[in-house]
Amino acid sequence: MNDTHVNRIRRDPNFIELTRSRKAFGWTLTIVMLLIYYGYIYLVAYQKPLIARPLFGAVTVGLVLGLGVI
């Protein structure tokens, strides 16, 4: 691919819209992941009785949520 093809693709309105929407989607996923992660850390730090509550056997709420974060 030469420079004229690359420049033509970069100026294409569809390509510009695609890169813009991809970047916005990436930032949205980043914010969602940070909220999930820090929400879990908050629960571990300040809601220990909730995290330690057993669901069945040795499986606790914290274990299930931790696997969900991963």
Side-chain angles (χ1 to χ4, degrees):
M1 219 184 232
N2 58 27
D3 289 340
T4 58
H5 287 111
V6 171
N7 289 332
R8 189 171 44 164
I9 291 170
R10 285 185 179 161
R11 287 191 312 263
D12 187 317
N14 291 328
F15 180 74
I16 293 169
E17 178 59 31
L18 175 67
T19 57
R20 186 176 294 132
S21 63
R22 193 181 86 194
K23 187 181 287 188
F25 183 66
W27 278 111
T28 302
L29 288 180
T30 299
I31 291 168
V32 167
M33 193 62 223
L34 286 172
L35 288 173
I36 290 171
Y37 177 75
Y38 283 112
Y40 178 73
I41 295 301
Y42 168 79
L43 289 175
V44 169
Y46 298 108
Q47 302 294 323
K48 289 183 176 130
L50 173 67
I51 293 292
R53 184 174 299 153
L55 291 176
F56 48 91
V59 178
T60 62
V61 172
L63 180 64
V64 172
L65 290 177
L67 289 174
V69 169
I70 293 172

